[in-house]
mmCIF file of all heavy atoms in Angstrom:
data_model
loop_
_atom_site.group_PDB
_atom_site.id
_atom_site.type_symbol
_atom_site.label_atom_id
_atom_site.label_comp_id
_atom_site.label_asym_id
_atom_site.label_seq_id
_atom_site.Cartn_x
_atom_site.Cartn_y
_atom_site.Cartn_z
ATOM 1 N N ILE A 104 15.035 -8.937 15.564
ATOM 2 C CA ILE A 104 14.489 -10.239 15.213
ATOM 3 C C ILE A 104 15.644 -11.160 14.805
ATOM 4 O O ILE A 104 16.440 -10.811 13.939
ATOM 5 C CB ILE A 104 13.508 -10.119 14.038
ATOM 6 C CG1 ILE A 104 12.355 -9.219 14.463
ATOM 7 C CG2 ILE A 104 13.008 -11.482 13.590
ATOM 8 C CD1 ILE A 104 11.389 -8.900 13.352
ATOM 9 N N PHE A 106 17.911 -13.945 13.037
ATOM 10 C CA PHE A 106 17.974 -14.271 11.588
ATOM 11 C C PHE A 106 17.053 -15.401 11.222
ATOM 12 O O PHE A 106 16.282 -15.300 10.263
ATOM 13 C CB PHE A 106 19.436 -14.632 11.209
ATOM 14 C CG PHE A 106 19.560 -15.133 9.805
ATOM 15 C CD1 PHE A 106 19.581 -14.272 8.766
ATOM 16 C CD2 PHE A 106 19.662 -16.503 9.573
ATOM 17 C CE1 PHE A 106 19.695 -14.717 7.458
ATOM 18 C CE2 PHE A 106 19.763 -16.971 8.273
ATOM 19 C CZ PHE A 106 19.785 -16.082 7.215
ATOM 20 N N GLU A 108 14.304 -16.402 12.384
ATOM 21 C CA GLU A 108 12.880 -16.134 12.507
ATOM 22 C C GLU A 108 12.418 -15.001 11.601
ATOM 23 O O GLU A 108 11.206 -14.692 11.575
ATOM 24 C CB GLU A 108 12.558 -15.766 13.971
ATOM 25 C CG GLU A 108 12.849 -16.874 14.964
ATOM 26 C CD GLU A 108 12.486 -16.456 16.380
ATOM 27 O OE1 GLU A 108 11.909 -15.364 16.576
ATOM 28 O OE2 GLU A 108 12.795 -17.209 17.305
ATOM 29 N N TYR A 109 13.294 -14.395 10.892
ATOM 30 C CA TYR A 109 12.960 -13.199 10.152
ATOM 31 C C TYR A 109 12.209 -13.532 8.858
ATOM 32 O O TYR A 109 12.623 -14.345 8.058
ATOM 33 C CB TYR A 109 14.232 -12.427 9.766
ATOM 34 C CG TYR A 109 13.967 -11.217 8.948
ATOM 35 C CD1 TYR A 109 13.574 -10.019 9.520
ATOM 36 C CD2 TYR A 109 14.120 -11.287 7.547
ATOM 37 C CE1 TYR A 109 13.316 -8.895 8.745
ATOM 38 C CE2 TYR A 109 13.851 -10.167 6.777
ATOM 39 C CZ TYR A 109 13.477 -8.976 7.388
ATOM 40 O OH TYR A 109 13.212 -7.884 6.632
ATOM 41 N N GLU A 110 11.049 -12.927 8.692
ATOM 42 C CA GLU A 110 10.271 -13.013 7.475
ATOM 43 C C GLU A 110 9.764 -11.602 7.112
ATOM 44 O O GLU A 110 9.365 -10.856 7.997
ATOM 45 C CB GLU A 110 9.071 -13.962 7.592
ATOM 46 C CG GLU A 110 9.444 -15.422 7.555
ATOM 47 C CD GLU A 110 8.216 -16.322 7.496
ATOM 48 O OE1 GLU A 110 7.107 -15.786 7.330
ATOM 49 O OE2 GLU A 110 8.391 -17.540 7.620
ATOM 50 N N ALA A 111 9.782 -11.291 5.855
ATOM 51 C CA ALA A 111 9.164 -10.012 5.413
ATOM 52 C C ALA A 111 7.831 -10.370 4.769
ATOM 53 O O ALA A 111 7.683 -11.345 4.044
ATOM 54 C CB ALA A 111 10.074 -9.329 4.418
ATOM 55 N N VAL A 112 6.831 -9.553 5.071
ATOM 56 C CA VAL A 112 5.474 -9.764 4.496
ATOM 57 C C VAL A 112 5.001 -8.420 3.969
ATOM 58 O O VAL A 112 5.055 -7.393 4.647
ATOM 59 C CB VAL A 112 4.498 -10.297 5.535
ATOM 60 C CG1 VAL A 112 3.120 -10.484 4.912
ATOM 61 C CG2 VAL A 112 4.963 -11.627 6.112
ATOM 62 N N ASP A 150 16.236 -13.512 2.795
ATOM 63 C CA ASP A 150 15.049 -13.412 3.652
ATOM 64 C C ASP A 150 13.817 -13.829 2.902
ATOM 65 O O ASP A 150 13.580 -13.307 1.778
ATOM 66 C CB ASP A 150 14.879 -12.007 4.193
ATOM 67 C CG ASP A 150 16.086 -11.539 4.984
ATOM 68 O OD1 ASP A 150 16.574 -12.324 5.816
ATOM 69 O OD2 ASP A 150 16.544 -10.394 4.736
ATOM 70 N N PRO A 151 12.978 -14.705 3.412
ATOM 71 C CA PRO A 151 11.746 -15.088 2.721
ATOM 72 C C PRO A 151 10.750 -13.924 2.686
ATOM 73 O O PRO A 151 10.700 -13.101 3.602
ATOM 74 C CB PRO A 151 11.193 -16.242 3.541
ATOM 75 C CG PRO A 151 11.818 -16.047 4.887
ATOM 76 C CD PRO A 151 13.138 -15.434 4.674
ATOM 77 N N LEU A 152 9.971 -13.883 1.614
ATOM 78 C CA LEU A 152 8.987 -12.803 1.429
ATOM 79 C C LEU A 152 7.623 -13.377 1.158
ATOM 80 O O LEU A 152 7.449 -14.245 0.323
ATOM 81 C CB LEU A 152 9.406 -11.915 0.237
ATOM 82 C CG LEU A 152 8.410 -10.784 -0.150
ATOM 83 C CD1 LEU A 152 8.302 -9.758 0.969
ATOM 84 C CD2 LEU A 152 8.847 -10.143 -1.487
ATOM 85 N N GLY A 153 6.631 -12.888 1.919
ATOM 86 C CA GLY A 153 5.240 -13.280 1.735
ATOM 87 C C GLY A 153 4.417 -12.093 1.286
ATOM 88 O O GLY A 153 4.841 -10.926 1.372
ATOM 89 N N ALA A 167 5.386 -17.003 2.636
ATOM 90 C CA ALA A 167 6.733 -16.471 2.528
ATOM 91 C C ALA A 167 7.698 -17.517 1.988
ATOM 92 O O ALA A 167 7.753 -18.598 2.560
ATOM 93 C CB ALA A 167 7.207 -15.917 3.858
ATOM 94 N N TYR A 214 0.087 -14.711 11.324
ATOM 95 C CA TYR A 214 1.491 -14.708 11.789
ATOM 96 C C TYR A 214 1.583 -14.546 13.310
ATOM 97 O O TYR A 214 2.508 -13.898 13.793
ATOM 98 C CB TYR A 214 2.291 -13.594 11.063
ATOM 99 C CG TYR A 214 2.478 -13.886 9.609
ATOM 100 C CD1 TYR A 214 1.532 -13.385 8.654
ATOM 101 C CD2 TYR A 214 3.530 -14.653 9.126
ATOM 102 C CE1 TYR A 214 1.683 -13.650 7.281
ATOM 103 C CE2 TYR A 214 3.687 -14.898 7.754
ATOM 104 C CZ TYR A 214 2.751 -14.414 6.863
ATOM 105 O OH TYR A 214 2.931 -14.696 5.525
ATOM 106 N N LYS A 217 4.996 -15.725 14.890
ATOM 107 C CA LYS A 217 6.195 -15.263 14.320
ATOM 108 C C LYS A 217 6.388 -13.767 14.527
ATOM 109 O O LYS A 217 5.450 -13.072 14.870
ATOM 110 C CB LYS A 217 6.190 -15.546 12.809
ATOM 111 C CG LYS A 217 6.162 -17.001 12.419
ATOM 112 C CD LYS A 217 6.177 -17.173 10.893
ATOM 113 C CE LYS A 217 6.164 -18.645 10.508
ATOM 114 N NZ LYS A 217 6.205 -18.848 9.074
ATOM 115 N N GLN A 218 7.621 -13.335 14.344
ATOM 116 C CA GLN A 218 7.909 -11.908 14.295
ATOM 117 C C GLN A 218 8.282 -11.610 12.830
ATOM 118 O O GLN A 218 9.100 -12.254 12.207
ATOM 119 C CB GLN A 218 9.047 -11.530 15.196
ATOM 120 C CG GLN A 218 8.728 -11.534 16.655
ATOM 121 C CD GLN A 218 9.903 -11.103 17.502
ATOM 122 O OE1 GLN A 218 10.948 -11.749 17.491
ATOM 123 N NE2 GLN A 218 9.707 -10.048 18.244
ATOM 124 N N CYS A 219 7.622 -10.570 12.285
ATOM 125 C CA CYS A 219 7.831 -10.254 10.886
ATOM 126 C C CYS A 219 8.175 -8.791 10.680
ATOM 127 O O CYS A 219 7.935 -7.957 11.543
ATOM 128 C CB CYS A 219 6.527 -10.554 10.074
ATOM 129 S SG CYS A 219 6.035 -12.286 10.129
ATOM 130 N N PHE A 220 8.727 -8.524 9.510
ATOM 131 C CA PHE A 220 8.887 -7.145 9.023
ATOM 132 C C PHE A 220 7.704 -6.912 8.068
ATOM 133 O O PHE A 220 7.731 -7.450 6.946
ATOM 134 C CB PHE A 220 10.205 -6.999 8.346
ATOM 135 C CG PHE A 220 10.467 -5.599 7.831
ATOM 136 C CD1 PHE A 220 9.950 -4.493 8.395
ATOM 137 C CD2 PHE A 220 11.299 -5.428 6.734
ATOM 138 C CE1 PHE A 220 10.153 -3.207 7.913
ATOM 139 C CE2 PHE A 220 11.571 -4.163 6.238
ATOM 140 C CZ PHE A 220 10.997 -3.064 6.843
ATOM 141 N N LEU A 221 6.694 -6.195 8.506
ATOM 142 C CA LEU A 221 5.486 -5.993 7.724
ATOM 143 C C LEU A 221 5.553 -4.670 6.961
ATOM 144 O O LEU A 221 5.716 -3.616 7.579
ATOM 145 C CB LEU A 221 4.254 -5.961 8.643
ATOM 146 C CG LEU A 221 2.902 -5.711 7.936
ATOM 147 C CD1 LEU A 221 2.584 -6.819 6.976
ATOM 148 C CD2 LEU A 221 1.812 -5.504 8.973
#
Side-chain angles (χ1 to χ4, degrees):
I104 299 173
F106 173 78
E108 298 180 6
Y109 177 81
E110 285 187 8
V112 179
D150 301 314
L152 175 65
Y214 291 92
K217 296 182 179 180
Q218 286 182 301
C219 298
F220 180 29
L221 177 65

